[in-house]
Structure formats: C-alpha cells, structure tokens
Amino acid sequence: NHLFDMTILAQLASDDVLDSAYEWLCRRRRDYSANSDVWTLSRNWPREKEQIRRELLSGRFLLVSFFLCQQL
C-alpha cells in the first residue's frame, strides 16, 4: 500500500499536474487585486513548483479542507 501511495504522490508532483493546478489557480484569480498572493506565486512559480514537488515527494505536507461561506 505504501508503494501505491508513493505512486500517487509522484503523479501529484509531476509537471503536468502541478502546472495544471497552477493554471487553474491563475484563471480563478485572474481578476484579483495586483496585491493578491497569487501574483507572488506567479512571479516565483519555477522555484515554488520545485518546493511543492520536494514537499510532496518527501511526505512533508498537510492537506487542509476548507470551505467558503458567502452572505446571500
């Protein structure tokens, strides 16, 4: 089962998956303020992507679920 978990982490850490997630995030935040955190990520994407990859492959990460409540 550990080998299966590592295969999933390797897939998550692939260029295709990381770049797709990054592109999704940029599309979602396209109209955000110029001061938004996404633009810092964008300026540093190659370095940030490698850091994310290292953390995924090493198992040093925490997945956190959250939800957004909006007033109707």
Side-chain angles (χ1 to χ4, degrees), residues 5-57:
D5 293 341
M6 290 307 296
T7 302
I8 291 172
L9 290 177
Q11 290 174 0
L12 288 175
S14 72
D15 278 337
D16 287 344
V17 171
L18 291 176
D19 287 336
S20 291
Y22 170 71
E23 290 168 9
W24 174 86
L25 178 65
C26 288
R27 280 193 309 275
R28 293 279 304 192
R29 296 196 176 184
R30 174 179 49 236
D31 298 325
Y32 277 39
S33 160
N35 297 323
S36 176
D37 60 347
V38 73
W39 308 125
T40 301
L41 178 71
S42 181
R43 283 190 300 275
N44 299 312
W45 177 239
R47 184 173 29 136
E48 295 289 343
K49 180 169 86 169
E50 290 308 312
Q51 179 65 31
I52 293 167
R53 181 188 328 274
R54 282 191 301 273
E55 290 178 6
L56 284 170
L57 293 175

